[in-house]
Amino acid sequence: MADGVRKDDGPVLVWFRRDLRLTDNPALTWARETGRPVIPFFVLDDEERRVGGASRWWLHGSLSALGEELARIGSGLVLRQGSAGTVIAALARETGATGIVWNRLYEPALVSRDTQLKARCREIGLVPRSFNAALLFEPWTVCTRAGEPYRVFTPFWRQCLSHGFELPGVTVRRLSPPARWPAGEELAGWRLRPEAPDWATGLREVWSPGEAGARQRLERFLQDPLQSYAQGREFPARRGTCMLSPHLHFGEIGPRQVADAIGPVEPGTGAHTFLLQIGWREFSYHLLHHNPDMVTANLRRAFDRMPWRNDPEGLRAWQRGRTGYPLVDAGMRELWTTGWMHNRVRMVVASFLTKHLLIDWRLGAEWFLDTLVDADLASNTAGWQWVAGSGTDAAPYFRVFNPLAQSRRFDAAGDYLRRWLPELRRLPDTWIHAPWEASEPVLADAGIRLGDTWPLPVVDHGSARARALDIYRTIIRNGS
């Protein structure tokens, strides 16, 4: 029995959000431990409707999987759409619930909404409680000796490590059902998945949304890729990364579970490098909490003077994977097809947009949020600001990723390029990274006509790099 609550009190509402799992779910565990009837529910509100198509596709699969898991343990999942406050009030009236629990979200708009909802719940006789299921350390719990938030990753993560990690919670295996279930809506009726046209074939081939899919993905990663992760993660053609990001975003697995699964970490190992990536996710939420305007505002205010170019054609070529630079275009096509992109390639395509094309990072971040299955607001925004140079702990302004050098170094045999760029498959390894440098006979043998079957580069790398460096030097010189 939790907090001395009597068993004869009313049911407990459990509001699932981005915590779509039964293991290490503190809100669900708390509700179960009361011994009272538990009514899990999910609300499709305006915030959920605004996410991109890839995220909506994932949400459908994750909710379907969660509903099946809850049914297996004798419970269910009530689906409703509308404003969260209205739905919660209706469920309280219909069920006689006297308590509601959820796990916290950290985006500024959602924090504000949840704060207002807690007050409204108390007004209608619901006792609200919230918990942490999404992070190792909540953003306000890590600070400098002066009590200030961190602005640089390394000391932030060092402070986190000094605290140690909590162990993950238990798996909920049984819930007390209510005497009568409130009515719910059919998931198919929400039409979260595309129908005409059905563009999700590539997503289905790669992903299995749901807690079981997250667990399987982690287990496969631990069996082999983790050992060589420090080096293997750099090569996009290899299965060297965990691909857990969408599962973490939707809360099908939590960071405590991941940290516990990899076990003790020794410096220099794959596990050490992998844990750093979990740390960057934590740092992104730390930054967002303490800089709630960072989704649209430069963290380094000097970049407010950045003369971003208005280039709709360049943006469209980048979005469609038609820049003429094979590594950039392969990454953008992988994103469109699978809703995901290898992290090394993410940095290259982001650098290309912001430094080669001098297009505002916010337009790139917006495109990623629309097309990624792991469309995480904090990580996406922090990543774009890092590459663009406008972040607090940003890449040096003079780091302009060379898409040719990156391609030749990390995909020397062109395996990644050939997978996503079928029109280049017949090009020899020597030329596949820069088709425009090949001779006419080589291009003819590969069936390539520059400017027709393969686009000419939208910019010259050397000229674009020089232009970017001149502008960035001016911005930095005038104050950061």
Side-chain angles (χ1 to χ4, degrees):
M1 189 176 298
D3 291 0
V5 176
R6 301 190 316 273
K7 283 193 174 184
D8 59 351
D9 279 350
V12 179
L13 300 175
V14 177
W15 183 13
F16 277 94
R17 289 113 71 84
R18 269 181 251 137
D19 50 354
L20 306 178
R21 64 183 188 268
L22 304 187
T23 301
D24 189 34
N25 187 320
L28 187 65
T29 300
W30 186 93
R32 182 207 60 185
E33 290 178 351
T34 65
R36 296 150 63 186
V38 174
I39 303 174
F41 72 101
F42 182 91
V43 182
L44 185 69
D45 61 7
D46 289 342
E47 292 296 331
E48 298 293 347
R49 287 187 177 280
R50 273 195 284 267
V51 301
S55 289
R56 288 195 296 271
W57 176 89
W58 190 289
L59 178 62
H60 178 108
S62 193
L63 288 174
S64 177
L66 178 63
E68 292 174 3
E69 287 297 301
L70 285 167
R72 186 179 55 79
I73 64 169
S75 186
L77 181 64
V78 177
L79 302 177
R80 296 255 179 121
Q81 58 182 317
S83 73
T86 301
V87 169
I88 289 169
L91 286 173
R93 285 195 309 270
E94 296 166 22
T95 64
T98 55
I100 182 170
V101 292
W102 63 72
N103 293 307
R104 288 185 281 275
L105 297 172
Y106 302 93
E107 290 88 337
L110 301 184
V111 171
S112 176
R113 179 198 67 180
D114 289 354
T115 300
Q116 295 174 28
L117 279 174
K118 281 191 173 183
R120 184 171 180 184
C121 285
R122 293 187 183 98
E123 291 173 358
I124 62 174
L126 277 176
V127 178
R129 291 177 176 82
S130 63
F131 303 85
N132 168 32
L135 299 172
L136 294 171
F137 302 96
E138 292 188 285
W140 53 87
T141 64
V142 182
C143 58
T144 68
R145 290 182 179 178
E148 299 294 325
Y150 283 96
R151 296 179 67 82
V152 177
F153 171 73
T154 300
F156 164 82
W157 189 233
R158 188 183 301 122
Q159 176 78 310
C160 290
L161 293 176
S162 71
H163 292 301
F165 306 145
E166 290 184 14
L167 292 174
V170 299
T171 300
V172 172
R173 302 190 184 280
R174 196 73 187 169
L175 291 171
S176 299
R180 184 174 63 85
W181 282 97
E185 301 174 25
E186 293 295 326
L187 180 59
W190 287 357
R191 306 184 72 175
L192 297 172
R193 290 191 162 175
E195 297 172 356
D198 179 6
W199 45 258
T201 300
L203 276 67
R204 288 193 294 271
E205 290 175 353
V206 176
W207 303 106
S208 297
E211 186 172 5
R215 187 167 53 248
Q216 292 164 7
R217 182 77 69 177
L218 177 60
E219 289 171 355
R220 286 197 298 270
F221 178 65
L222 296 176
Q223 287 169 4
D224 182 34
L226 178 62
Q227 312 311 316
S228 57
Y229 180 78
Q231 297 77 37
R233 72 190 182 103
E234 301 289 4
F235 299 90
R238 301 181 189 176
R239 292 184 58 185
T241 60
C242 68
M243 296 182 72
L244 279 171
S245 52
H247 297 289
L248 281 164
H249 173 67
F250 283 92
E252 299 165 351
I253 195 168
R256 288 187 292 255
Q257 293 170 270
V258 175
D260 184 58
I262 65 177
V265 172
E266 295 294 331
T269 62
H272 178 263
T273 305
F274 176 64
L275 193 60
L276 282 175
Q277 305 312 305
I278 301 296
W280 274 104
R281 179 177 181 270
E282 297 281 319
F283 187 52
S284 298
Y285 276 94
H286 182 83
L287 288 175
L288 181 60
H289 173 76
H290 293 289
N291 304 274
D293 64 345
M294 70 177 272
V295 177
T296 56
N298 297 304
L299 288 172
R300 297 176 70 181
R301 298 305 186 188
F303 278 77
D304 292 346
R305 299 189 297 273
M306 187 72 182
W308 299 114
R309 296 175 61 244
N310 180 23
D311 183 6
E313 290 186 8
L315 177 62
R316 188 158 49 249
W318 177 83
Q319 291 171 337
R320 296 179 178 179
R322 298 286 293 172
T323 69
Y325 284 88
L327 185 59
V328 174
D329 294 344
M332 297 307 292
R333 296 193 200 179
E334 179 185 28
L335 171 62
W336 183 255
T337 304
T338 70
W340 186 84
M341 190 192 303
H342 187 277
N343 188 60
R344 166 62 56 179
V345 186
R346 291 192 197 202
M347 292 189 290
V348 174
V349 304
S351 177
F352 190 88
L353 184 75
T354 57
K355 294 180 177 177
H356 284 76
L357 299 181
L358 289 176
I359 292 176
D360 196 327
W361 63 265
R362 284 161 280 229
L363 296 178
E366 182 180 332
W367 183 254
F368 269 30
L369 286 176
D370 188 49
T371 52
L372 281 169
V373 290
D374 60 355
D376 188 278
L377 188 66
S379 295
N380 185 60
T381 304
W384 274 96
Q385 292 229 37
W386 183 86
V387 173
S390 59
T392 59
D393 193 6
Y397 77 89
F398 50 80
R399 177 178 288 171
V400 180
F401 284 92
N402 182 335
L404 302 182
Q406 292 285 309
S407 185
R408 289 167 174 147
R409 179 178 178 185
F410 296 109
D411 189 38
D415 294 334
Y416 179 74
L417 301 184
R418 289 188 176 90
R419 179 178 179 186
W420 297 110
L421 307 172
E423 58 267 57
L424 300 184
R425 282 177 181 165
R426 292 164 54 192
L427 268 181
D429 296 355
T430 304
W431 307 111
I432 194 170
H433 307 283
W436 62 90
E437 294 180 354
S439 67
E440 284 299 328
V442 170
L443 292 172
D445 285 346
I448 295 172
R449 297 185 303 277
L450 291 179
D452 182 9
T453 62
W454 182 256
L456 290 164
V458 294
V459 290
D460 171 72
H461 166 68
S463 300
R465 181 178 185 276
R467 178 180 65 180
L469 289 178
D470 284 345
I471 292 174
Y472 271 73
R473 285 192 191 102
T474 301
I475 295 294
I476 299 301
R477 189 183 305 122
N478 290 339
S480 58

